[in-house]
Amino acid sequence: AETGLDADDARMILSGFISHGRTHLENLRTSGSVEERYRAAHSLKGAGKTLRAAELAAEARLVEKELRENGIPDISGVESAWNRIECWCKEDEA
């Protein structure tokens, strides 16, 4: 209601979010490059902020911080937040 989008437009945006989010999450899991992993975390943080997914944004921010400090992030919080969002989106489709 806050965005002015109708339900179909919101679903289309969420579908893109899920598709891109999966790619970013996979880059966090598998990329050997700290820079690529940082960009993936940054993208997830931005998406979380845009979609008001505060937990995802906060967890991605922590991953960014860990990458800057020591290059070895714990991505379990991002994965957990992501899994809840993806499950919620699947339930909404049903």
Side-chain angles (χ1 to χ4, degrees), residues 7-91:
D8 289 336
D9 288 339
R11 283 187 189 93
M12 181 182 66
I13 291 169
L14 283 173
S15 175
F17 168 74
I18 294 296
S19 174
H20 288 99
R22 286 179 183 146
T23 300
H24 297 313
L25 195 56
E26 189 60 27
N27 285 341
L28 278 179
R29 288 183 184 126
T30 61
S31 177
S33 164
V34 170
E35 184 178 323
E36 285 180 52
R37 295 175 88 192
Y38 185 88
R39 281 195 307 261
H42 188 76
S43 294
L44 287 168
K45 181 180 78 175
K49 286 181 177 183
T50 300
L51 295 173
R52 295 187 182 210
E55 182 184 5
L56 178 62
E59 292 294 341
R61 184 174 33 254
L62 288 175
V63 170
E64 283 181 325
K65 181 180 181 225
E66 290 173 349
L67 282 163
R68 276 192 310 269
E69 291 176 354
N70 61 28
I72 306 170
D74 174 7
I75 66 167
S76 62
V78 170
E79 289 175 316
S80 179
W82 175 261
N83 288 337
R84 281 192 290 287
I85 291 168
E86 195 160 354
C87 285
W88 175 81
C89 289
K90 286 179 185 177
E91 288 174 8

